[in-house]
Amino acid sequence: MQTLTVIIPTFNEEKYIQDCLHSVAFANQIIVIDSFSSDDTVNIAKKCNCEIIQRQFDNFSNQKNEAIKLAKGDWILFIDADERVPQKLQYEIQETIANAKHNAYKIRFPHFYMNRFLYHTENKVTRLVKNNSVHFEGEVHEKLIHEGSVGLLENFMIHYTYKGLFHYIKKKDSYAWFQAKMAKDKNKKATYLHLLFKPFYRFFHTYIIRRGFLDGIPGLAVATIDAYGVFSRYVKMILIDKKLK
């Protein structure tokens, strides 16, 4: 019988962590790696059947890599505190790891915005992986490094992506700083042409190519703020390059 470890990174997730933990209660092992939350996240987690470790946050990859060291399951599922595994996805995960055809699987993530799921603005992210030489690289939008082929699960993960307009914009700005610093470390340069072209392409890709227009006003809002996030990244790259930040 194949076993499953779930890894959940947290920081001040008291509103979300209990429901998240309940949704993955079917796992053989649950590890919460907390970045010293100042709210009630850890106390809530302690009441559930999980292991809790605390580590000072430096970047997303290092947090998850620390938890991977403690994973005992044959498979690992990575999930955030604002995500939920619905019952259909639970059954699919259990069936998949029992009869696996691949070493890793992507899961569908429709965006949740303006109180609705945007099924035409979904991401497909590798989250389920065989526990074999697994690690993350990158400081933000970290990349999961693994061996073997990748499949795709049919059922969706519930993800309460954005808690409001200002939270969404703040999140984009926070990621933009991480991405700008990573680009600087790789000696990448930003130009004013990037400021004009890259945000426009992101909007076009999200709204037209990925058919975000089918999600109405929420789809338009997501495409616009995605474009803003790209613009913000290149502005910050220029500021870093000019030593203004």
Side-chain angles (χ1 to χ4, degrees), residues 12 49 81 105 226:
N12 290 348
N49 183 28
Y105 289 87
D226 274 357

Side-chain angles (χ1 to χ4, degrees), residues 8 24 97 121 165 173 186 216 236 245:
I8 310 170
V24 295
I97 66 175
T121 315
L165 178 63
D173 268 326
K186 295 177 180 178
K236 289 168 172 55
K245 176 62 178 181

Side-chain angles (χ1 to χ4, degrees), residues 183-199:
K184 178 65 175 177
D185 291 340
K186 295 177 180 178
N187 294 318
K188 291 184 178 180
K189 299 290 184 180
T191 68
Y192 292 105
L193 183 62
H194 286 126
L195 289 179
L196 292 172
F197 176 73
K198 293 289 188 177

